[in-house]
Amino acid sequence: MAEHVYKKIEIVGSSPNGMEEAVHNALSRASKTIRNMRWFEVTETRGYIDEGKIEHWQVTLKIGFTLEE
């Protein structure tokens, strides 16, 4: 079995439609330039309030990916 070495990066995704979509947006964009993504963890969640209503969600993710040989 090959040993895997991982690297972790931190990115922020956003969406006006909810936390899950913010995560999806972040992962979708990251997948365009990062290969071998294996896992993610949500480390922060924030929201923007305008006139008493949630207007925007923002999530900070750590993404782990395997390094290539």
Side-chain angles (χ1 to χ4, degrees):
M1 179 171 113
E3 292 185 30
H4 291 153
V5 175
Y6 298 92
K7 179 168 180 74
K8 252 190 331 188
I9 61 167
E10 186 173 80
I11 64 172
V12 178
S14 63
S15 170
N17 300 317
M19 291 183 294
E20 188 171 341
E21 186 171 295
V23 170
H24 175 75
N25 290 344
L27 293 174
S28 177
R29 176 58 183 88
S31 71
K32 292 179 181 180
T33 55
I34 300 168
R35 294 185 301 277
N36 305 318
M37 291 193 303
R38 299 293 181 233
W39 51 265
F40 72 93
E41 65 180 285
V42 176
T43 58
E44 292 181 327
T45 305
R46 288 178 296 284
Y48 172 70
I49 301 169
D50 187 23
E51 296 182 11
K53 295 183 181 179
I54 298 171
E55 288 295 318
H56 214 82
W57 291 91
Q58 194 175 62
V59 295
T60 302
L61 304 174
K62 289 185 180 180
I63 298 174
F65 57 96
T66 48
L67 296 176
E68 294 179 344
E69 295 293 325

